[in-house]
Amino acid sequence: NMWWYGRARGGPLLFYLILSFFSSLCSCSPPPPPPPRYSQPPAEWITSNSSDIIYTTGSPSDASLYPIISNGYLGTVLLSGSMYVGGVFNGLSSSLPLQGPSHRAAIPSSVAINIANATPYASALIISNATFYLWSKIQVEDQTNNNNNNNNNSIIYIGQSWYAHRHHRNILVTDISLSKHENTTIDLYLKVNSSSSPDVVLNAVSSSYPHLYTLTNASTLIAETETSSLISLGIASSIVPPCVRVGLGEESWYMQFITAIVTNIDNDDDGGDDDANYLHTAEKMFMTANEEDDLYESHVSAWSTLFQSRIEIEGDQYLATAVMNSYYELLSNLRSDWPFSLSPGGIGTNGYNGHTFWDAETWMYPTLLLLQPKLAKELFSYRYANLGTAQQNAAAMGYKGAKFPWESARTGIECTPVPNTEGLYEVHIQGDIAVAVWQYYSVSRDKEWLRKTGYPILEGIAGYWVSRVNRSGDLYVINGVRCPDESATYVNNSVFTNTVASKALDYAVQASELLGINAPAIWRNISDNMKIPFDAVAQWHPEYDGYDGQQINQADVVLLQYPLGIPMSREVAINDILYYQNHTDRNGMFTGDCSYSIAWLRLGRPQDALYYFNNTLQHLKPPYYVFTERIVGGIPHFVTGAGGFLQNVLFGYLGLQIERSNITIYTPVLPPGGTTRVTVHGVSYLSSLFRFSYDASTLCVTLTHLSRDTPDDGAIMIESASSSKVVPLYLNKEVQFPLGKYYLYTKG
């Protein structure tokens, strides 16, 4: 059980001999050693004021508040016993006794390596590199002989790091580095914190290089539906020795551990059901990563590309770090080469069973749409792939068109656990998806995408609404629904549901006109004549028919102002906010903080937004800025909250609003807390990129990349709402404006 190492990085004695022997048999030479890592925290990290570095000597109050390391395909909460892969679920779509509902399948961790005889003393999350560091130390005796025959104590410093490789999506890496005096010997006792899993059955398989890694064939136990298949996984993991001895003469030492996970749905397009195929691929990916000289560098490079688009805050380091880390939470849970959507708890947890809700399109998607449109587009790949299932869902309930589930997993079937009723009644998600589709078209003007992907989704949703409404006199009504305020479980004419249904039908009509398709006249008729509850005497919107002042658990009516942008008088807008903010549970869902704040900012009342913005920050738990669903309680790593928080900065304080023909910029306001400047890099509009930067008096706009689809330089312009003055934008030429309301658009 003892592995003995000789000179640092110059050739481990026993291990090197064994490895060389097996390598000669396999015609494979051992890879060159990687560059040394950080066995101690770099001094510049300890004193850094960078928003990119979260350095701490403390520990979270709960182990679930350690950071998540994920790459949009796989992930884990640091030091936890389980790993997860996006799209890998276990359990039936609806729960049965002793089986439970469909949920993200837990895979026993192979990367949560604990050094049992070391004492942690510091850690850091480097956000832009998506890498977590943990530093420990061991006190040993210096074995130097001296005249007094007194042994001196010596400190061994050990650094560990973890990352989910951004470029090689199937790879998780952890490594250990050590520095010590050459006259000491140290034994490291390594243990993998691996939890048993009720979700997968594990079978050891002979690996091609048994001295180097283990190979495991894993399979889920219960398929999502009677007709869907189980999911199989191949897992190749570095062997973790129980004890490593670093001997006399060594001053530094390093070892890397790799896990490669491949599923049988990775390769659906080329016959991925062949067990040997995904197992072989897992081995191949492990060896490729193990032999790659610049494995970490390629990971950092991939993240660097993503962070070219970002939000920078000056003057308030806490807020700057909170924004940076929230952005990482979004980016780390989605990728353009894996067709699964976002979940409130992220890929690294089983929060909300790993299911996709309206959270994806309403709270996480908008920031990605403007800063990472390629990633945002992937949400519709997921919805479009499950369009056929959505049509089956509608038919099963006696409706037409397509009914997307309230909770969905792999197949697109309704996965809301029984006896919960959201899957039956919380149908506003149909409109939420339609709004997101139209936002994507408005920002991209990609008519080919609209024809192939967007329009079929809009058409299916419009067909559903036509069959779901009832006629009541001159109006159309929607009865028996659950509101975004989920304390209202079964009501008639939810103001948000009816409004978003009307918008969905309107967008379907507009898309038809753009594509030269004759839309059914009933779409426009219902959209224009939908009942929208409104009290003309008191000048406010009741949440639903018969609402009489009950406390609500999250934002609802205020969503008419943002994100829907429904025109209403200033009086009505203020009345709605004042009434419902005083009837919203203060420890309710996060969405109220974001929505009320943005609504007040749009009305030019930043002091009224202040409470809700500051309330948002209470959801961030130390020391790693982990977002929790509620201020007290709820799930950790609440990606929905991170998305809403970023919307508050991007769409609230900067004031962006996506319209059909332009992006409106409401008068920017600096966030509270000492912020002196906000800069947003890489805002995408019509495939061109922009930089927005503002302080207390001036808005600066720069066109940083001109799309080939734009007719010519100067075709994109900004118009002042107050003076109607139009200023063309030229590539890399900054234009300055006094703070105010503006419109960004292209001529023609």
Side-chain angles (χ1 to χ4, degrees):
N1 290 331
M2 181 75 71
W3 287 32
W4 191 300
Y5 283 81
R7 294 187 57 81
R9 295 168 33 80
L13 295 179
L14 179 58
F15 175 76
Y16 182 81
L17 293 173
I18 296 173
L19 180 60
S20 299
F21 172 73
F22 277 96
S23 298
S24 65
L25 294 180
C26 303
S27 300
C28 174
S29 59
R37 303 301 186 195
Y38 299 112
S39 57
Q40 296 186 63
E44 61 270 22
W45 290 7
I46 299 174
T47 59
S48 173
N49 292 321
S50 170
S51 61
D52 184 38
I53 300 172
I54 302 176
Y55 173 84
T56 179
T57 56
S59 299
S61 59
D62 186 279
S64 67
L65 297 178
Y66 274 101
I68 281 181
I69 291 297
S70 57
N71 62 9
Y73 174 86
L74 48 68
T76 183
V77 175
L78 264 302
L79 306 179
S80 69
S82 298
M83 308 178 292
Y84 298 90
V85 175
V88 177
F89 295 89
N90 184 57
L92 291 169
S93 56
S94 59
S95 59
L96 292 176
L98 304 180
Q99 293 184 332
S102 163
H103 58 278
R104 204 183 294 284
I107 304 164
S109 177
S110 55
V111 297
I113 300 175
N114 175 50
I115 304 174
N117 57 326
T119 303
Y121 68 92
S123 62
L125 176 66
I126 311 303
I127 300 172
S128 63
N129 292 348
T131 306
F132 180 77
Y133 291 88
L134 177 67
W135 291 283
S136 305
K137 56 187 176 182
I138 302 174
Q139 186 165 303
V140 297
E141 290 186 348
D142 189 334
Q143 298 170 1
T144 304
N145 292 323
N146 54 49
N147 294 331
N148 297 323
N149 292 321
N150 291 325
N151 289 333
N152 300 315
N153 289 328
S154 178
I155 301 295
I156 306 291
Y157 292 98
I158 306 163
Q160 293 176 263
S161 68
W162 288 263
Y163 59 95
H165 205 284
R166 185 72 202 190
H167 179 67
H168 302 302
R169 71 182 189 190
N170 304 79
I171 300 297
L172 275 166
V173 181
T174 181
D175 55 31
I176 303 174
S177 56
L178 176 151
S179 63
K180 68 178 185 64
H181 193 279
E182 64 178 4
N183 294 317
T184 58
T185 297
I186 182 66
D187 295 335
L188 300 182
Y189 295 98
L190 307 183
K191 182 180 180 181
V192 180
N193 178 26
S194 183
S195 300
S196 60
S197 172
D199 299 324
V200 293
V201 58
L202 306 171
N203 292 298
V205 181
S206 296
S207 70
S208 300
Y209 303 97
H211 61 288
L212 193 59
Y213 62 90
T214 61
L215 183 62
T216 303
N217 187 8
S219 175
T220 56
L221 301 175
I222 305 171
E224 195 167 292
T225 68
E226 292 181 357
T227 57
S228 60
S229 60
L230 297 173
I231 301 176
S232 299
L233 308 93
I235 307 170
S237 300
S238 297
I239 293 174
V240 180
C243 182
V244 174
R245 173 164 293 176
V246 186
L248 295 174
E250 295 192 77
E251 294 182 353
S252 63
W253 170 86
Y254 172 87
M255 193 171 188
Q256 177 176 267
F257 303 92
I258 294 171
T259 292
I261 304 178
V262 178
T263 77
N264 64 338
I265 59 174
D266 278 50
N267 305 306
D268 274 346
D269 293 338
D270 57 4
D273 285 338
D274 178 6
D275 286 358
N277 186 34
Y278 66 82
L279 288 168
H280 173 73
T281 304
E283 288 191 285
K284 181 179 178 181
M285 289 186 172
F286 176 93
M287 292 303 298
T288 298
N290 190 61
E291 295 173 1
E292 185 173 323
D293 292 346
D294 57 352
L295 183 64
Y296 184 65
E297 287 71 16
S298 61
H299 164 74
V300 170
S301 177
W303 274 104
S304 177
T305 299
L306 287 176
F307 272 104
Q308 289 177 6
S309 296
R310 64 193 183 279
I311 303 171
E312 290 182 350
I313 305 290
E314 298 178 34
D316 185 338
Q317 184 183 353
Y318 181 86
L319 179 59
T321 304
V323 167
M324 188 78 166
N325 194 54
S326 295
Y327 188 42
Y328 161 72
E329 289 273 8
L330 285 185
L331 296 182
S332 65
N333 282 288
L334 194 65
R335 56 187 306 118
S336 59
D337 60 359
W338 192 234
F340 291 94
S341 190
L342 294 160
S343 173
I347 283 181
T349 80
N350 188 39
Y352 281 102
N353 292 320
H355 292 171
T356 295
F357 297 71
W358 75 310
D359 305 49
E361 283 83 7
T362 303
W363 301 111
M364 307 181 214
Y365 160 81
T367 297
L368 293 171
L369 173 59
L370 290 185
L371 296 183
Q372 301 288 344
K374 289 183 179 179
L375 293 180
K377 188 177 181 180
E378 200 58 35
L379 271 68
F380 303 114
S381 298
Y382 174 74
R383 295 298 188 186
Y384 181 76
N386 291 318
L387 180 58
T389 307
Q391 293 166 340
Q392 296 172 20
N393 294 340
M397 298 185 68
Y399 299 116
K400 297 181 180 179
K403 180 185 181 296
F404 289 94
W406 178 245
E407 296 188 35
S408 61
R410 177 190 170 197
T411 66
I413 199 74
E414 180 62 67
C415 287
T416 300
V418 295
N420 296 0
T421 60
E422 293 94 329
L424 296 174
Y425 306 125
E426 199 151 356
V427 295
H428 65 77
I429 189 172
Q430 318 308 320
D432 306 326
I433 294 170
V435 168
V437 168
W438 193 245
Q439 286 177 330
Y440 183 82
Y441 174 74
S442 298
V443 167
S444 69
R445 306 279 176 86
D446 186 343
K447 192 174 288 187
E448 188 62 21
W449 173 87
L450 183 64
R451 184 185 305 277
K452 291 183 177 180
T453 302
Y455 184 77
I457 295 174
L458 291 174
E459 181 184 34
I461 290 172
Y464 170 78
W465 286 125
V466 169
S467 65
R468 184 66 173 79
V469 302
N470 294 306
R471 190 72 180 259
S472 178
D474 294 332
L475 299 177
Y476 291 92
V477 298
I478 305 177
N479 295 328
V481 302
R482 192 166 188 170
C483 304
D485 162 29
E486 292 182 326
S487 61
T489 57
Y490 188 83
V491 301
N492 295 334
N493 295 309
S494 151
V495 68
F496 178 80
T497 301
N498 287 24
T499 300
V500 83
S502 174
K503 297 281 280 186
L505 288 159
D506 175 52
Y507 295 150
V509 171
Q510 291 190 59
S512 298
E513 293 170 350
L514 283 166
L515 299 174
I517 298 171
N518 292 323
I522 191 67
W523 291 1
R524 173 57 64 199
N525 188 24
I526 295 174
S527 178
D528 290 346
N529 296 285
M530 185 75 74
K531 178 181 179 179
I532 307 298
F534 182 69
D535 186 330
V537 175
Q539 290 290 293
W540 70 298
H541 291 94
E543 187 177 275
Y544 49 82
D545 284 354
Y547 175 78
D548 59 1
Q550 297 93 328
Q551 179 175 275
I552 66 176
N553 74 351
Q554 61 180 301
D556 192 304
V557 175
V558 72
L559 303 179
L560 303 186
Q561 298 179 48
Y562 181 85
L564 296 187
I566 302 300
M568 63 184 72
S569 71
R570 183 178 179 85
E571 178 188 6
V572 171
I574 291 175
N575 286 346
D576 280 352
I577 302 173
L578 287 175
Y579 185 87
Y580 287 104
Q581 72 178 12
N582 292 325
H583 286 76
T584 303
D585 182 358
R586 294 298 187 187
N587 190 39
M589 304 297 185
F590 162 80
T591 55
D593 299 333
C594 163
S595 305
Y596 290 126
S597 177
I598 294 175
W600 280 126
L601 289 165
R602 294 287 174 86
L603 291 167
R605 293 175 58 166
Q607 288 305 311
D608 292 300
L610 181 61
Y611 167 82
Y612 293 98
F613 186 77
N614 288 337
N615 208 48
T616 299
L617 300 179
Q618 295 185 58
H619 291 260
L620 297 168
K621 304 307 178 188
Y624 304 112
Y625 295 74
V626 171
F627 229 105
T628 56
E629 182 179 19
R630 297 175 184 267
I631 295 175
V632 179
I635 68 167
H637 301 287
F638 191 49
V639 187
T640 300
F645 173 55
L646 292 173
Q647 286 189 62
N648 208 346
V649 176
L650 195 59
F651 297 90
Y653 283 94
L654 175 54
L656 302 184
Q657 175 72 28
I658 299 168
E659 308 285 2
R660 159 73 189 276
S661 58
N662 64 74
I663 288 183
T664 299
I665 309 164
Y666 287 85
T667 303
V669 178
L670 289 173
T675 301
T676 56
R677 176 171 290 277
V678 176
T679 302
V680 185
H681 300 268
V683 175
S684 178
Y685 181 58
L686 307 182
S687 299
S688 293
L689 298 178
F690 302 83
R691 180 174 62 247
F692 293 90
S693 184
Y694 69 97
D695 57 16
S697 61
T698 305
L699 170 67
C700 304
V701 183
T702 308
L703 172 65
T704 58
H705 170 76
L706 185 64
S707 167
R708 286 178 291 181
D709 297 329
T710 304
D712 51 69
D713 204 6
I716 299 176
M717 51 200 68
I718 288 187
E719 178 180 338
S720 168
S722 59
S723 68
S724 298
K725 180 181 179 181
V726 177
V727 178
L729 296 179
Y730 295 96
L731 189 63
N732 295 322
K733 302 293 184 181
E734 181 181 272
V735 181
Q736 298 185 359
F737 305 91
L739 294 185
K741 184 178 180 180
Y742 297 90
Y743 306 104
L744 176 71
Y745 60 90
T746 182
K747 64 183 179 183

